[in-house]
Amino acid sequence: MAKAKKKDNTIVVNKKASHEFHFIEDFEAGLELQGWEVKAMRAGKVNLAESYVFIKDGEVYLTNCHVTPLNTASTHITAEPNRLKKLLLHRHQINHLIGAVERKGLTLVARSLYWIKGKVKLKVILAQGKKLHDKRAASKERDWNRQKQRVLKGGQIN
């Protein structure tokens, strides 16, 4: 019997976020989506690079998440690619996020979109912005680890 391939449930990852922020805590949130958005996400037509999460009136929203509508998605609905999307979290999670953002000065970052049991989930990260010297140190550390792996493998150092 052939082994079934494990499907990758990730839709999109915001790679820029790890360069810009120190991650502190992460939350899994559902999204309030329309049908055409779900179809476009199944096709992978979504971009999280410039998106961010904010809190307004005790509700959590995702903005600037660009979902490119499919040509065949719907004829009776006008698709709005950068529509504001409400995030679905428990009240105690929202209260925790409000406290962290307002008192500690932290930021909410949209890290990745993925599928769980046929539903779209968003990984929201509570993060603190990196300073320029932190970014430089992280870059040097990455370069050093790459060189170290090359030497251990038997390669040459440039």
Side-chain angles (χ1 to χ4, degrees):
M1 186 171 210
K3 274 190 174 181
K5 288 186 180 178
K6 188 175 180 181
K7 284 182 70 176
D8 185 24
N9 294 330
T10 304
I11 301 169
V12 66
V13 177
N14 186 357
K15 294 179 183 176
K16 186 178 169 185
S18 62
H19 181 70
E20 299 287 329
F21 298 99
H22 291 290
F23 298 152
I24 296 172
E25 191 176 357
D26 63 332
F27 297 90
E28 183 177 271
L31 282 104
E32 197 174 85
L33 298 172
Q34 295 178 349
W36 67 268
E37 290 173 321
V38 176
K39 288 180 180 181
M41 286 182 184
R42 285 199 191 282
K45 305 237 179 218
V46 62
N47 185 5
L48 273 180
E50 297 297 323
S51 63
Y52 59 94
V53 178
F54 69 94
I55 301 171
K56 181 179 179 185
D57 299 329
E59 308 254 331
V60 185
Y61 295 97
L62 175 68
T63 186
N64 281 355
C65 175
H66 186 81
V67 180
T68 307
L70 299 174
N71 293 335
T72 59
S74 179
T75 56
H76 64 281
I77 293 177
T78 307
E80 203 178 321
N82 286 331
R83 188 179 72 84
L84 196 66
K85 295 160 191 57
K86 183 177 174 184
L87 299 184
L88 307 173
L89 289 161
H90 293 284
R91 175 55 50 196
H92 64 88
Q93 291 175 324
I94 294 172
N95 292 338
H96 178 72
L97 291 174
I98 289 171
V101 169
E102 289 180 357
R103 289 189 208 103
K104 299 178 186 173
L106 300 177
T107 306
L108 294 172
V109 180
R111 177 66 173 152
S112 63
L113 276 171
Y114 50 92
W115 297 101
I116 290 187
K117 295 182 182 175
K119 293 178 175 46
V120 178
K121 300 291 183 177
L122 175 72
K123 182 168 283 209
V124 178
I125 307 254
L126 195 57
Q128 184 175 21
K130 285 185 182 178
K131 305 282 190 244
L132 183 60
H133 60 85
D134 291 336
K135 293 178 190 177
R136 288 180 183 156
S139 176
K140 284 181 184 177
E141 182 72 23
R142 256 193 325 269
D143 292 343
W144 167 242
N145 286 335
R146 248 188 251 127
Q147 277 189 346
K148 195 165 50 172
Q149 288 301 320
R150 284 187 194 131
V151 169
L152 290 174
K153 209 172 185 180
Q156 296 289 328
I157 298 176
N158 292 338

